[in-house]
Structure formats: structure tokens, C-alpha cells
Amino acid sequence: QVCRQDARLAEQVEQTEAARVEAQAETEEHAREAELTREGQHAEMRRVRRRAGEAQQSMAEMAELREDVGQMRSELFQKENRTLREELEQQRQRERSTRSLLVELSEQLVQRSSVAQACEEASAEAKAKAE
């Protein structure tokens, strides 16, 4: 009877030891899986952070490009306005020169007309005296 009890106890010890080894193996397996999961999560977080950094850099570059385009538009607009003002001033100067020339030519025409009239009158007087 003691031998049977010893045998049962020995069998229970073996079963308990086998269950403990199996439980330890499962625990280790779960620990490995959990570690892999954590590593995967850390790797994913690093990827997410890297992508977020890249996105933030892209946004900053886009903002800088928008600012550059705005400045270029402003400079172009100012240059165009300056060019148009210069062209307008040149046109006004040509108009003033043309007006001055017209006034001068009108005065010369009036003088020549007066001279021509005086010549005609003198010619008519000379004809009248000659007759």
C-alpha cells in the first residue's frame, strides 16, 4: 500500500512537473510573443513618427514654396506696374512734345500766313501802281 501510494505520489509529482514544464514553456512562449508584439509596436511607432516628421517637413517646404511664390508674384506685379508707369510717362512725354511741336508749327503757319497776305497785298498794290 505504501508502495502504491509512493507510486501514485511519484506519478503525481511527474504529472505536476510535466504540467509545470508545460506551463513554463507556454509562459515563455507568451513572453516571446508579447516581446515580439512590443517590438512590432515600437517599430510601427518609429515608422509613424518618421512619416509624421516627413509630413511635417513637407508641409514646411510647401509653406516656404507658397511664400516664395507670393513674393515672386509681388515682385512681378511691382515690376509690371513700374514698367507700365514708365511706359505711361514716356507716352505723356511724347504727347507733350507733339503738342509743343503743334503749337510751334501753328505759330509758324500764322506767321507765314501773315507774310503771304502781306506779299499778296504788296503785289496787289504794285499791280495797281503799275496800271
Side-chain angles (χ1 to χ4, degrees):
Q1 198 177 16
V2 172
C3 286
R4 272 190 249 148
Q5 284 178 348
D6 280 348
R8 261 190 259 137
L9 284 175
E11 190 178 320
Q12 285 178 350
V13 167
E14 280 182 35
Q15 289 174 356
T16 302
E17 182 61 22
R20 186 193 63 75
V21 168
E22 187 178 332
Q24 185 177 356
E26 284 181 22
T27 301
E28 289 172 2
E29 179 69 22
H30 287 302
R32 280 193 297 274
E33 288 175 1
E35 183 63 26
L36 289 174
T37 300
R38 277 194 299 277
E39 287 175 7
Q41 288 173 343
H42 289 309
E44 183 63 25
M45 285 302 294
R46 285 191 297 272
R47 281 192 293 274
V48 166
R49 285 187 191 116
R50 188 184 74 244
R51 286 185 197 141
E54 290 170 356
Q56 196 171 22
Q57 184 177 351
S58 292
M59 287 172 53
E61 289 171 358
M62 284 177 55
E64 192 174 313
L65 287 173
R66 275 192 213 106
E67 187 177 312
D68 289 348
V69 166
Q71 187 169 350
M72 289 169 66
R73 281 181 179 163
S74 177
E75 288 171 3
L76 183 61
F77 183 70
Q78 289 173 358
K79 185 177 180 182
E80 191 174 306
N81 278 347
R82 192 176 322 115
T83 301
L84 289 173
R85 281 194 304 271
E86 288 170 358
E87 288 175 4
L88 182 61
E89 185 54 38
Q90 289 172 359
Q91 181 67 30
R92 287 177 179 161
Q93 183 61 39
R94 284 192 294 269
E95 288 174 2
R96 284 192 291 271
S97 296
T98 302
R99 267 191 240 111
S100 291
L101 187 57
L102 283 173
V103 167
E104 188 180 321
L105 290 174
S106 293
E107 289 172 356
Q108 287 179 8
L109 186 59
V110 167
Q111 288 174 354
R112 288 182 184 177
S113 178
S114 298
V115 169
Q117 188 177 0
C119 286
E120 285 178 21
E121 289 174 2
S123 178
E125 281 180 28
K127 281 185 185 175
K129 285 183 183 179
E131 289 176 6

